[in-house]
PDB file of all heavy atoms in Angstrom:
ATOM      1  N   SER J  17      -3.531   4.468  -1.337  1.00 85.00           N
ATOM      2  CA  SER J  17      -3.857   3.651  -2.507  1.00 85.00           C
ATOM      3  C   SER J  17      -3.906   2.199  -2.052  1.00 85.00           C
ATOM      4  O   SER J  17      -2.878   1.604  -1.706  1.00 85.00           O
ATOM      5  CB  SER J  17      -2.797   3.837  -3.598  1.00 85.00           C
ATOM      6  OG  SER J  17      -3.102   3.038  -4.723  1.00 85.00           O
ATOM      7  N   ASP J  20      -8.805  -3.300  -2.970  1.00 69.00           N
ATOM      8  CA  ASP J  20      -9.942  -3.907  -2.278  1.00 69.00           C
ATOM      9  C   ASP J  20      -9.847  -5.425  -2.407  1.00 69.00           C
ATOM     10  O   ASP J  20      -9.849  -5.954  -3.517  1.00 69.00           O
ATOM     11  CB  ASP J  20     -11.254  -3.415  -2.901  1.00 69.00           C
ATOM     12  CG  ASP J  20     -12.471  -3.831  -2.104  1.00 69.00           C
ATOM     13  OD1 ASP J  20     -12.458  -4.952  -1.565  1.00 69.00           O
ATOM     14  OD2 ASP J  20     -13.435  -3.057  -2.026  1.00 69.00           O
ATOM     15  N   LYS J  27      -8.679   1.391  -4.487  1.00 77.00           N
ATOM     16  CA  LYS J  27      -9.435   2.434  -3.793  1.00 77.00           C
ATOM     17  C   LYS J  27      -8.454   3.464  -3.246  1.00 77.00           C
ATOM     18  O   LYS J  27      -7.319   3.137  -2.885  1.00 77.00           O
ATOM     19  CB  LYS J  27     -10.277   1.831  -2.670  1.00 77.00           C
ATOM     20  CG  LYS J  27     -11.388   0.925  -3.177  1.00 77.00           C
ATOM     21  CD  LYS J  27     -12.264   0.447  -2.039  1.00 77.00           C
ATOM     22  CE  LYS J  27     -13.423  -0.381  -2.584  1.00 77.00           C
ATOM     23  NZ  LYS J  27     -14.340   0.427  -3.398  1.00 77.00           N
ATOM     24  N   THR J  36      -0.771  20.638   9.765  1.00 90.00           N
ATOM     25  CA  THR J  36       0.593  20.763   9.240  1.00 90.00           C
ATOM     26  C   THR J  36       0.971  19.516   8.447  1.00 90.00           C
ATOM     27  O   THR J  36       0.396  18.430   8.638  1.00 90.00           O
ATOM     28  CB  THR J  36       1.615  20.950  10.375  1.00 90.00           C
ATOM     29  OG1 THR J  36       1.689  19.743  11.147  1.00 90.00           O
ATOM     30  CG2 THR J  36       1.213  22.105  11.293  1.00 90.00           C
ATOM     31  N   THR J  45       2.172   7.501   8.206  1.00 90.00           N
ATOM     32  CA  THR J  45       3.004   6.364   8.636  1.00 90.00           C
ATOM     33  C   THR J  45       2.202   5.392   9.503  1.00 90.00           C
ATOM     34  O   THR J  45       2.289   4.168   9.353  1.00 90.00           O
ATOM     35  CB  THR J  45       4.235   6.869   9.417  1.00 90.00           C
ATOM     36  OG1 THR J  45       4.999   7.733   8.577  1.00 90.00           O
ATOM     37  CG2 THR J  45       5.101   5.706   9.863  1.00 90.00           C
ATOM     38  N   LEU J  47      -1.121   5.023   9.506  1.00 81.00           N
ATOM     39  CA  LEU J  47      -2.134   4.361   8.678  1.00 81.00           C
ATOM     40  C   LEU J  47      -1.536   3.204   7.885  1.00 81.00           C
ATOM     41  O   LEU J  47      -2.127   2.121   7.787  1.00 81.00           O
ATOM     42  CB  LEU J  47      -2.773   5.383   7.726  1.00 81.00           C
ATOM     43  CG  LEU J  47      -3.734   6.394   8.353  1.00 81.00           C
ATOM     44  CD1 LEU J  47      -4.075   7.489   7.351  1.00 81.00           C
ATOM     45  CD2 LEU J  47      -5.006   5.696   8.841  1.00 81.00           C
ATOM     46  N   ARG J  55      -4.887  -3.822  10.711  1.00 61.00           N
ATOM     47  CA  ARG J  55      -5.710  -3.037  11.630  1.00 61.00           C
ATOM     48  C   ARG J  55      -6.470  -1.913  10.924  1.00 61.00           C
ATOM     49  O   ARG J  55      -7.255  -1.215  11.533  1.00 61.00           O
ATOM     50  CB  ARG J  55      -4.850  -2.448  12.756  1.00 61.00           C
ATOM     51  CG  ARG J  55      -4.249  -3.476  13.696  1.00 61.00           C
ATOM     52  CD  ARG J  55      -3.734  -2.811  14.962  1.00 61.00           C
ATOM     53  NE  ARG J  55      -2.707  -1.831  14.688  1.00 61.00           N
ATOM     54  CZ  ARG J  55      -1.409  -2.072  14.685  1.00 61.00           C
ATOM     55  NH1 ARG J  55      -0.968  -3.300  14.939  1.00 61.00           N
ATOM     56  NH2 ARG J  55      -0.543  -1.098  14.444  1.00 61.00           N
ATOM     57  N   GLU J  70     -22.429  -9.573  -1.889  1.00 91.00           N
ATOM     58  CA  GLU J  70     -21.082  -9.889  -2.367  1.00 91.00           C
ATOM     59  C   GLU J  70     -20.621 -11.230  -1.819  1.00 91.00           C
ATOM     60  O   GLU J  70     -19.994 -12.026  -2.523  1.00 91.00           O
ATOM     61  CB  GLU J  70     -20.103  -8.782  -1.958  1.00 91.00           C
ATOM     62  CG  GLU J  70     -20.317  -7.461  -2.670  1.00 91.00           C
ATOM     63  CD  GLU J  70     -20.038  -7.560  -4.169  1.00 91.00           C
ATOM     64  OE1 GLU J  70     -19.324  -8.495  -4.586  1.00 91.00           O
ATOM     65  OE2 GLU J  70     -20.546  -6.714  -4.919  1.00 91.00           O
ATOM     66  N   SER J  78     -18.343 -22.568  -1.541  1.00 88.00           N
ATOM     67  CA  SER J  78     -17.779 -23.118  -0.297  1.00 88.00           C
ATOM     68  C   SER J  78     -18.784 -23.939   0.498  1.00 88.00           C
ATOM     69  O   SER J  78     -18.418 -24.567   1.496  1.00 88.00           O
ATOM     70  CB  SER J  78     -17.264 -21.969   0.588  1.00 88.00           C
ATOM     71  OG  SER J  78     -16.301 -21.206  -0.087  1.00 88.00           O
ATOM     72  N   TYR J 140     -25.889 -18.038  10.770  1.00 96.00           N
ATOM     73  CA  TYR J 140     -25.592 -17.731   9.368  1.00 96.00           C
ATOM     74  C   TYR J 140     -24.919 -16.366   9.244  1.00 96.00           C
ATOM     75  O   TYR J 140     -23.941 -16.206   8.505  1.00 96.00           O
ATOM     76  CB  TYR J 140     -26.869 -17.754   8.529  1.00 96.00           C
ATOM     77  CG  TYR J 140     -27.625 -19.066   8.548  1.00 96.00           C
ATOM     78  CD1 TYR J 140     -29.014 -19.103   8.390  1.00 96.00           C
ATOM     79  CD2 TYR J 140     -26.953 -20.266   8.740  1.00 96.00           C
ATOM     80  CE1 TYR J 140     -29.712 -20.306   8.406  1.00 96.00           C
ATOM     81  CE2 TYR J 140     -27.644 -21.479   8.768  1.00 96.00           C
ATOM     82  CZ  TYR J 140     -29.028 -21.493   8.602  1.00 96.00           C
ATOM     83  OH  TYR J 140     -29.712 -22.670   8.615  1.00 96.00           O
ATOM     84  N   TYR J 153     -13.123  -5.713   6.497  1.00 81.00           N
ATOM     85  CA  TYR J 153     -14.198  -4.721   6.467  1.00 81.00           C
ATOM     86  C   TYR J 153     -14.612  -4.314   7.878  1.00 81.00           C
ATOM     87  O   TYR J 153     -15.079  -3.196   8.085  1.00 81.00           O
ATOM     88  CB  TYR J 153     -15.403  -5.264   5.706  1.00 81.00           C
ATOM     89  CG  TYR J 153     -15.250  -5.166   4.212  1.00 81.00           C
ATOM     90  CD1 TYR J 153     -14.571  -6.143   3.504  1.00 81.00           C
ATOM     91  CD2 TYR J 153     -15.756  -4.085   3.507  1.00 81.00           C
ATOM     92  CE1 TYR J 153     -14.399  -6.055   2.137  1.00 81.00           C
ATOM     93  CE2 TYR J 153     -15.599  -3.977   2.136  1.00 81.00           C
ATOM     94  CZ  TYR J 153     -14.913  -4.972   1.455  1.00 81.00           C
ATOM     95  OH  TYR J 153     -14.746  -4.871   0.102  1.00 81.00           O
ATOM     96  N   ARG J 178     -47.536 -48.626  17.268  1.00 91.00           N
ATOM     97  CA  ARG J 178     -47.229 -49.818  16.474  1.00 91.00           C
ATOM     98  C   ARG J 178     -48.381 -50.157  15.533  1.00 91.00           C
ATOM     99  O   ARG J 178     -48.185 -50.496  14.364  1.00 91.00           O
ATOM    100  CB  ARG J 178     -46.931 -50.999  17.399  1.00 91.00           C
ATOM    101  CG  ARG J 178     -46.506 -52.274  16.675  1.00 91.00           C
ATOM    102  CD  ARG J 178     -46.299 -53.399  17.680  1.00 91.00           C
ATOM    103  NE  ARG J 178     -45.190 -53.101  18.563  1.00 91.00           N
ATOM    104  CZ  ARG J 178     -43.929 -53.421  18.297  1.00 91.00           C
ATOM    105  NH1 ARG J 178     -43.627 -54.026  17.159  1.00 91.00           N
ATOM    106  NH2 ARG J 178     -42.976 -53.144  19.155  1.00 91.00           N
ATOM    107  N   GLU J 200     -41.932 -48.550   4.637  1.00 94.00           N
ATOM    108  CA  GLU J 200     -41.238 -49.515   5.499  1.00 94.00           C
ATOM    109  C   GLU J 200     -39.832 -49.030   5.842  1.00 94.00           C
ATOM    110  O   GLU J 200     -39.366 -49.199   6.977  1.00 94.00           O
ATOM    111  CB  GLU J 200     -41.181 -50.882   4.809  1.00 94.00           C
ATOM    112  CG  GLU J 200     -42.519 -51.611   4.808  1.00 94.00           C
ATOM    113  CD  GLU J 200     -42.409 -53.042   4.321  1.00 94.00           C
ATOM    114  OE1 GLU J 200     -41.344 -53.662   4.554  1.00 94.00           O
ATOM    115  OE2 GLU J 200     -43.376 -53.547   3.718  1.00 94.00           O
ATOM    116  N   THR J 205     -36.780 -48.469   9.932  1.00 93.00           N
ATOM    117  CA  THR J 205     -35.352 -48.216  10.117  1.00 93.00           C
ATOM    118  C   THR J 205     -35.055 -46.864  10.759  1.00 93.00           C
ATOM    119  O   THR J 205     -33.952 -46.657  11.265  1.00 93.00           O
ATOM    120  CB  THR J 205     -34.606 -48.264   8.759  1.00 93.00           C
ATOM    121  OG1 THR J 205     -35.034 -47.158   7.950  1.00 93.00           O
ATOM    122  CG2 THR J 205     -34.883 -49.568   8.028  1.00 93.00           C
ATOM    123  N   ARG J 208     -33.961 -40.873   7.707  1.00 90.00           N
ATOM    124  CA  ARG J 208     -34.529 -39.577   7.345  1.00 90.00           C
ATOM    125  C   ARG J 208     -35.139 -39.690   5.947  1.00 90.00           C
ATOM    126  O   ARG J 208     -34.741 -40.535   5.141  1.00 90.00           O
ATOM    127  CB  ARG J 208     -33.452 -38.501   7.363  1.00 90.00           C
ATOM    128  CG  ARG J 208     -32.796 -38.306   8.723  1.00 90.00           C
ATOM    129  CD  ARG J 208     -31.737 -37.211   8.633  1.00 90.00           C
ATOM    130  NE  ARG J 208     -31.062 -37.000   9.915  1.00 90.00           N
ATOM    131  CZ  ARG J 208     -29.965 -37.640  10.304  1.00 90.00           C
ATOM    132  NH1 ARG J 208     -29.426 -38.558   9.509  1.00 90.00           N
ATOM    133  NH2 ARG J 208     -29.412 -37.384  11.478  1.00 90.00           N
ATOM    134  N   ILE J 220     -27.624 -51.386  -1.254  1.00 95.00           N
ATOM    135  CA  ILE J 220     -28.373 -52.376  -0.488  1.00 95.00           C
ATOM    136  C   ILE J 220     -27.894 -53.781  -0.832  1.00 95.00           C
ATOM    137  O   ILE J 220     -27.856 -54.170  -2.007  1.00 95.00           O
ATOM    138  CB  ILE J 220     -29.884 -52.267  -0.776  1.00 95.00           C
ATOM    139  CG1 ILE J 220     -30.385 -50.862  -0.426  1.00 95.00           C
ATOM    140  CG2 ILE J 220     -30.669 -53.319   0.009  1.00 95.00           C
ATOM    141  CD1 ILE J 220     -31.815 -50.596  -0.852  1.00 95.00           C
ATOM    142  N   THR J 234     -32.347 -34.115  -1.766  1.00 84.00           N
ATOM    143  CA  THR J 234     -32.988 -32.905  -1.263  1.00 84.00           C
ATOM    144  C   THR J 234     -33.401 -32.036  -2.449  1.00 84.00           C
ATOM    145  O   THR J 234     -33.044 -32.304  -3.587  1.00 84.00           O
ATOM    146  CB  THR J 234     -32.020 -32.099  -0.367  1.00 84.00           C
ATOM    147  OG1 THR J 234     -30.793 -31.883  -1.082  1.00 84.00           O
ATOM    148  CG2 THR J 234     -31.731 -32.842   0.921  1.00 84.00           C
ATOM    149  N   PRO J 257     -34.580 -55.031   8.684  1.00 94.00           N
ATOM    150  CA  PRO J 257     -35.415 -56.102   9.236  1.00 94.00           C
ATOM    151  C   PRO J 257     -35.877 -57.050   8.133  1.00 94.00           C
ATOM    152  O   PRO J 257     -35.951 -56.675   6.957  1.00 94.00           O
ATOM    153  CB  PRO J 257     -36.590 -55.351   9.857  1.00 94.00           C
ATOM    154  CG  PRO J 257     -36.612 -54.029   9.183  1.00 94.00           C
ATOM    155  CD  PRO J 257     -35.214 -53.709   8.814  1.00 94.00           C
ATOM    156  N   ILE J 261     -36.590 -56.593   4.010  1.00 95.00           N
ATOM    157  CA  ILE J 261     -35.793 -57.306   3.001  1.00 95.00           C
ATOM    158  C   ILE J 261     -36.712 -58.023   2.021  1.00 95.00           C
ATOM    159  O   ILE J 261     -36.513 -57.988   0.800  1.00 95.00           O
ATOM    160  CB  ILE J 261     -34.838 -58.312   3.679  1.00 95.00           C
ATOM    161  CG1 ILE J 261     -33.791 -57.567   4.500  1.00 95.00           C
ATOM    162  CG2 ILE J 261     -34.164 -59.207   2.635  1.00 95.00           C
ATOM    163  CD1 ILE J 261     -32.914 -58.483   5.348  1.00 95.00           C
ATOM    164  N   THR J 263     -39.823 -57.261   1.248  1.00 93.00           N
ATOM    165  CA  THR J 263     -40.507 -56.269   0.408  1.00 93.00           C
ATOM    166  C   THR J 263     -39.568 -55.717  -0.664  1.00 93.00           C
ATOM    167  O   THR J 263     -39.971 -55.532  -1.823  1.00 93.00           O
ATOM    168  CB  THR J 263     -41.043 -55.109   1.274  1.00 93.00           C
ATOM    169  OG1 THR J 263     -41.868 -55.635   2.316  1.00 93.00           O
ATOM    170  CG2 THR J 263     -41.857 -54.145   0.432  1.00 93.00           C
ATOM    171  N   GLU J 270     -39.964 -56.750  -9.333  1.00 91.00           N
ATOM    172  CA  GLU J 270     -40.957 -56.022 -10.137  1.00 91.00           C
ATOM    173  C   GLU J 270     -40.276 -55.071 -11.107  1.00 91.00           C
ATOM    174  O   GLU J 270     -40.763 -54.872 -12.250  1.00 91.00           O
ATOM    175  CB  GLU J 270     -41.886 -55.246  -9.202  1.00 91.00           C
ATOM    176  CG  GLU J 270     -43.002 -54.472  -9.914  1.00 91.00           C
ATOM    177  CD  GLU J 270     -43.838 -53.646  -8.966  1.00 91.00           C
ATOM    178  OE1 GLU J 270     -44.784 -54.192  -8.365  1.00 91.00           O
ATOM    179  OE2 GLU J 270     -43.512 -52.440  -8.784  1.00 91.00           O
TER     180      GLU J 270
END
Side-chain angles (χ1 to χ4, degrees):
S17 179
D20 189 323
K27 294 185 176 294
T36 67
T45 300
L47 287 169
R55 294 195 300 267
E70 291 294 339
S78 302
Y140 302 150
Y153 280 84
R178 184 183 295 272
E200 286 189 32
T205 67
R208 299 180 181 90
I220 301 172
T234 52
I261 294 173
T263 305
E270 182 184 276

